[in-house]
Amino acid sequence: MNRIVIAAAAALASTAASAGEQYVNESGFANAGHDVVAYFDLVQAPVGTAQPAAIPGTKEFTAEHNGATFAFASAENLARFEADPNRYAPQYDGHCAYGVAKGGKVPGNPDLWRIVDGKLYLNITENVVGFWEEDIDGNLTLSEANWQEIEPSPSSDRAIPQFDAAEAPRG
């Protein structure tokens, strides 16, 4: 399926993609306290290679959205988020995009990210990133269809595997 059709489907589902319970790990913050706006300023790595590390937020710059607290690295990023939170918030309430494609809610790791058609997607482990990137368009088609049914279910209560929750937020 081409990206135009996927973008249209994502636009139709954009309100649903952030309407459920946000995934919050033991840090107490959405996206494990990492700045969701900062991703959009990073140079994205090619498919099949590791992305740059997520930027930790600080307790000084926070905003409430979708029932959770998001942390930001700067006042500028906080302001950008507050102006359009749905543009920056991770899809599927911060759950793993591949997990949603497979029909469930599992945590998204802030260091395993990709921006597709202007939307931020997270995955749970490096292995899962490989599966997701084998067919991003196909997996997004599945996840968008599945999300309508699983979105109302509770957020994952699992910890992010191989992730140190003490990393963020700073300050």
Side-chain angles (χ1 to χ4, degrees), residues 109-146:
N109 182 324
D111 286 326
L112 302 175
W113 61 275
R114 180 156 300 282
I115 296 171
V116 179
D117 296 328
K119 301 287 184 182
L120 174 61
Y121 297 92
L122 305 175
N123 279 290
I124 189 169
T125 64
E126 290 179 15
N127 283 346
V128 167
V129 170
F131 295 129
W132 191 69
E133 288 184 344
E134 284 177 2
D135 184 9
I136 293 172
D137 290 344
N139 285 314
L140 284 176
T141 298
L142 289 172
S143 61
E144 287 298 319
N146 289 342

Side-chain angles (χ1 to χ4, degrees), residues 11 19 28 34 53 70 75 77 84 93-94 100 114-115 117 138 158 160 164-165:
H34 289 76
F70 286 78
N77 283 4
D84 192 359
D93 301 327
V100 172
R114 180 156 300 282
I115 296 171
D117 296 328
R158 295 172 49 193
I160 303 167
D164 182 4

Side-chain angles (χ1 to χ4, degrees), residues 60-78:
E60 181 180 1
F61 305 114
T62 63
E64 298 296 317
H65 175 69
N66 195 26
T69 303
F70 286 78
F72 303 91
S74 68
E76 178 186 356
N77 283 4
L78 169 60

Side-chain angles (χ1 to χ4, degrees), residues 12-107:
L12 288 173
S14 66
T15 55
S18 64
E21 188 178 329
Q22 189 74 37
Y23 174 72
V24 175
N25 75 335
E26 56 270 23
S27 73
F29 289 86
N31 204 45
H34 289 76
D35 186 334
V36 295
V37 174
Y39 293 106
F40 293 84
D41 296 330
L42 295 172
V43 176
Q44 187 162 217
V47 169
T49 60
Q51 294 285 37
I55 307 298
T58 72
K59 293 177 182 174
E60 181 180 1
F61 305 114
T62 63
E64 298 296 317
H65 175 69
N66 195 26
T69 303
F70 286 78
F72 303 91
S74 68
E76 178 186 356
N77 283 4
L78 169 60
R80 288 168 62 192
F81 182 82
E82 289 178 326
D84 192 359
N86 288 328
R87 175 179 179 200
Y88 298 106
Q91 297 301 289
Y92 314 124
D93 301 327
H95 291 92
C96 172
Y98 189 73
V100 172
K102 293 300 181 185
K105 286 185 175 180
V106 296

